[in-house]
Amino acid sequence: MRAIWIALCTAGLAACSTTPTDEQSPAGVEERTPGAATSPGAQTQPVKPGAVARVDLTGKSSAKSPLTDPNNILSRRSVFYDLDQYDIKDQYKDLVAAHAKYLRENPGTKMLVQGNTDERGSREYNIALGQKRSEALKRMLILLGAKEEQIESVSLGEEKPRAEGHDEAAWAQNRRSDILYQGEF
Amino acid sequence: MKKLLAAFLLLCFAATAGAQLSIEITGAGAQRIPIAVVPFAGEGALAPNAQTISAIVRADLERSGLFRSMSAPVANPPLTEAAPVNFADWRARQADAVVLGSVAARPDGRFEVRFKLFDAVKGADLSGVAYTLSREQARATAHRIADFIYEKLTGEKGVFSTRIAYVVKRGNRFELQIADADGAGEETALASFEPIISPAWSPDGRRLAYVSFENKKPVVYVHSLLDGRRQVAANFKGSNSAPAWSPDGARLAVSLSRDGGSQIYSVNPDGSNVRRVSQSGSIDTEPVFSPDGQMLYFTSDRGGSPQIYRMPASGGEAQRVTFEGSYNVSPRISPNGRVLAYISRNGGKFQVATLDLSTRQTQVLTDSDKDESPSFAPNGRMILLATVIGGRGVLAAVSADGRIKQRLTLSAGDVREPAWGPYSR
């Protein structure tokens, strides 16, 4: 009986954590900052022994990390789009699947997806377009088993171009979503 | 030695002048009022190394595109507002209006500026003003004199005393700057190595809301100009952008993606009391309040292409406003609420256009091709905008009827994201 009660409580808390919250982080403080989750006064939750997911950031700069190993598909972090498009082209499906698998296997890992656009048109409208791109990539990662709370999708609009030119070659480079892992942003 | 000092001073002046926006008039109104702003007697003492008061007044009036400045004959003793005016002589010189004035030093170290405006055609005294000021207030006083003359002769309020905000990009450095409407006296409110976009003036002119990328994502801040204090107005999961003030300054409309796609919300300037306003599965962004605060105009792609819509400021059914073309964005409403200015894509060119909300008449105002961020002067006469000329970002201004055109250039760097401030109080 007690076990069922605990399970219900935990489920309830989990449901709460997925609903949008009105709490927002103050200037310079991000909710992804390590330690934020253990702030004093946070509600204590019952945990089973051994249910703590280990997050190890100490090895992130080692050449052995699959995320930075140039021979590993996980080191590829960019998805490019056609003009006014948000859908992920077939050529990037393996890349997205690999990142989804990594998030699945490392449930404590967080990811930032940054959507970008080319320079044409309104800066603010381009923020919304870039958001549509990062959002679509996030959805696909979730469909492939990543958890909603692991991924934040944001937009940089046209503000951070990778290529500075003003022609189609540059624009094609800038219509892009980038994947960043915890510690890289 | 004296020569050397003069050369040094000139160099100093040139250095500061180089950093500020210089304005070039590239088109003027069809009928300009010929006006003679006679050098004010004794004005050299007030501003020994800078533009004189009468020169600033002349430049202001010329820049509006509604006046043609005429040179005045050298008189000895100099003409002042106190002496009788020879109207026949001014009429013979074809001046419709004459401004005469004088500057006197006061015992307390301050100055007194007096001026009078005359209608040369009717031979009438249109009144004048006397100001007491310190040396530092010379420019501001000149702008106020220009505002007085402008209002007397055109019937509408002048905007020479207002300020503009804009963003300068130099290399990887971004600066949010504030300057007088003539580009002079620029000050940096915020410097950053990450982009700053979408500055929006609070109705009282004391604060700016804007979007900064300093946290590697767009976050909306409210920045108090006097003390530099910054508050986070929106930093939710996802992107936070496109701030617009309600006319009473109590609320901000913003675009947030915290519940998925970009949607419009309203929020207090301190970040509290967030309410969702738009409810669509499409992009809804770039909100702007109508002057009465009742409606929100915004950009949405709900019809398949980005177009401008409006809805009640508290939310509700949206009505499409723009129909011509496949890309109409960045809505701004004129201060009297009658005209919508926006960016329209015409054959690959992005240009400032207006839509008369009662007659439905549209007009493209510019012939440039990368226009962005239109912004009405508080009297509705001019529209400030960002465009690209010769590969560089510059500011330009065009009158709401498209006739008068100005270009504001900076010697180095890209200028973008202009916002014309409210009347000073």
Side-chain angles (χ1 to χ4, degrees):
Chain A
M1 181 59 209
R2 190 153 171 266
I4 292 170
W5 190 81
I6 288 171
L8 279 174
C9 275
T10 319
L13 282 167
C16 279
S17 70
T18 59
T19 50
T21 161
D22 270 1
E23 295 299 314
Q24 51 173 325
S25 30
V29 181
E30 303 286 305
E31 42 187 335
R32 51 185 175 259
T33 310
T38 58
S39 63
Q43 203 174 343
T44 38
Q45 299 178 28
V47 280
K48 284 184 294 182
V52 176
R54 182 183 166 86
V55 181
D56 188 357
L57 300 176
T58 59
K60 73 181 160 78
S61 57
S62 109
K64 274 184 186 165
S65 169
L67 298 175
T68 49
D69 176 358
N71 296 319
N72 194 310
I73 191 167
L74 292 172
S75 69
R76 287 169 47 205
R77 304 297 189 78
S78 296
V79 171
F80 297 88
Y81 303 86
D82 289 336
L83 178 63
D84 282 337
Q85 296 302 310
Y86 327 98
D87 57 310
I88 289 147
K89 294 196 255 182
D90 284 345
Q91 66 195 98
Y92 302 110
K93 298 245 158 99
D94 289 349
L95 182 159
V96 177
H99 285 287
K101 180 165 177 276
Y102 184 83
L103 288 176
R104 237 172 27 232
E105 290 170 355
N106 298 275
T109 296
K110 296 214 171 182
M111 176 192 278
L112 181 67
V113 182
Q114 297 173 326
N116 297 271
T117 70
D118 67 39
E119 63 180 353
R120 291 170 293 175
S122 149
R123 291 178 189 277
E124 279 293 350
Y125 192 70
N126 282 340
I127 297 256
L129 285 180
Q131 187 67 36
K132 225 164 157 171
R133 286 183 176 146
S134 65
E135 206 73 44
L137 180 47
K138 174 180 167 177
R139 298 248 158 275
M140 180 166 241
L141 288 162
I142 291 171
L143 274 175
L144 295 171
K147 283 189 309 223
E148 164 100 38
E149 54 273 25
Q150 283 181 287
I151 311 164
E152 179 175 11
S153 54
V154 302
S155 174
L156 303 180
E158 64 176 275
E159 305 306 325
K160 303 285 280 183
R162 179 180 285 184
E164 292 280 357
H166 306 288
D167 51 16
E168 180 48 39
W171 293 333
Q173 284 287 302
N174 295 335
R175 292 189 299 263
R176 189 183 77 251
S177 284
D178 289 328
I179 290 171
L180 287 84
Y181 282 94
Q182 206 163 11
E184 298 172 341
F185 53 86
Chain B
M1 184 59 210
K2 217 173 180 183
K3 236 181 190 169
L4 207 72
L5 187 72
F8 174 70
L9 282 173
L10 197 72
L11 214 73
C12 289
F13 183 65
T16 45
Q20 90 185 27
L21 289 164
S22 60
I23 300 184
E24 175 196 347
I25 300 160
T26 55
Q31 294 200 329
R32 294 187 291 158
I33 301 170
I35 186 167
V37 182
V38 180
F40 290 8
E43 66 182 352
L46 178 55
N49 299 308
Q51 236 182 333
T52 60
I53 286 209
S54 65
I56 296 166
V57 172
R58 236 174 275 131
D60 277 351
L61 296 173
E62 277 270 354
R63 211 176 57 250
S64 74
L66 301 181
F67 295 88
R68 189 159 46 84
S69 182
M70 314 182 57
S71 60
V74 180
N76 201 5
L79 302 173
T80 73
E81 79 292 346
V85 183
N86 185 343
F87 289 112
D89 183 40
W90 287 112
R91 276 196 294 273
R93 293 173 182 279
Q94 318 223 309
D96 283 6
V98 181
V99 179
L100 295 167
S102 61
V103 177
R106 288 163 46 108
D108 64 2
R110 296 198 293 167
F111 294 85
E112 187 166 274
V113 174
R114 292 172 171 275
F115 79 96
K116 263 187 182 173
L117 169 66
F118 298 94
D119 181 333
V121 181
K122 290 183 192 147
D125 175 346
L126 298 178
S127 85
V129 185
Y131 299 100
T132 306
L133 61 144
S134 65
R135 228 183 260 287
E136 294 69 39
Q137 293 168 309
R139 284 201 80 86
T141 305
H143 292 319
R144 286 172 69 175
I145 294 170
D147 280 335
F148 179 94
I149 296 165
Y150 183 95
E151 185 166 355
K152 280 280 177 200
L153 297 180
T154 69
E156 68 187 32
K157 265 184 101 167
V159 292
F160 305 117
S161 298
T162 59
R163 295 190 293 172
I164 58 172
Y166 51 88
V167 175
V168 180
K169 179 175 189 264
R170 283 189 193 92
N172 60 354
R173 192 180 163 89
F174 297 82
E175 288 189 13
L176 175 63
Q177 298 195 332
I178 315 292
D180 293 348
D182 65 354
E186 79 285 351
E187 291 176 282
T188 298
L190 178 70
S192 175
F193 286 119
E194 296 296 339
I196 304 161
I197 64 167
S198 307
W201 289 87
S202 66
D204 65 6
R206 290 182 184 160
R207 292 182 289 175
L208 277 178
Y210 53 77
V211 178
S212 168
F213 288 71
E214 65 203 64
N215 285 341
K216 309 294 176 194
K217 66 179 234 179
V219 171
V220 177
Y221 292 84
V222 168
H223 187 127
S224 170
L225 292 174
L226 256 175
D227 56 14
R229 216 167 63 86
R230 306 168 77 215
Q231 259 182 324
V232 173
N235 182 16
F236 296 97
K237 196 173 183 194
S239 299
N240 310 266
S241 66
W245 294 85
S246 64
D248 63 3
R251 299 283 284 170
L252 282 175
V254 290
S255 176
L256 307 177
S257 71
R258 61 174 214 172
D259 301 327
S262 301
Q263 290 287 296
I264 293 163
Y265 296 74
S266 70
V267 60
N268 287 348
D270 66 0
S272 61
N273 196 10
V274 191
R275 270 203 306 258
R276 184 163 172 173
V277 179
S278 73
Q279 304 278 352
S280 79
S282 321
I283 288 175
D284 290 340
T285 186
E286 298 191 305
V288 62
F289 283 90
S290 60
D292 63 6
Q294 296 298 302
M295 304 293 282
L296 276 176
Y297 287 75
F298 63 102
T299 306
S300 177
D301 70 345
R302 60 186 66 193
S305 67
Q307 298 289 344
I308 293 159
Y309 292 75
R310 74 175 153 210
M311 65 179 163
S314 52
E317 206 178 319
Q319 238 183 321
R320 186 163 164 177
V321 177
T322 54
F323 289 92
E324 288 174 32
S326 61
Y327 190 97
N328 295 307
V329 299
S330 306
R332 309 287 192 266
I333 304 294
S334 65
N336 65 11
R338 292 190 199 134
V339 178
L340 170 78
Y342 57 103
I343 300 294
S344 176
R345 187 177 63 199
N346 309 297
K349 291 181 169 184
F350 297 89
Q351 297 172 314
V352 175
T354 52
L355 167 67
D356 185 310
L357 291 168
S358 45
T359 66
R360 307 283 317 156
Q361 190 95 23
T362 61
Q363 187 187 357
V364 175
L365 299 186
T366 60
D367 46 20
S368 34
D369 58 5
K370 286 180 180 133
D371 297 351
E372 284 181 23
S373 310
S375 171
F376 274 100
N379 64 1
R381 163 75 58 171
M382 300 292 289
I383 299 167
L384 189 61
L385 59 124
T387 191
V388 176
I389 292 169
R392 255 190 34 206
V394 299
L395 303 187
V398 60
S399 59
D401 63 8
R403 284 188 174 160
I404 301 161
K405 290 191 169 90
Q406 305 166 352
R407 193 179 300 161
L408 298 78
T409 44
L410 198 68
S411 52
D414 270 318
V415 198
R416 71 266 296 268
E417 298 294 275
W420 205 318
Y423 288 120
S424 53
R425 303 203 169 168

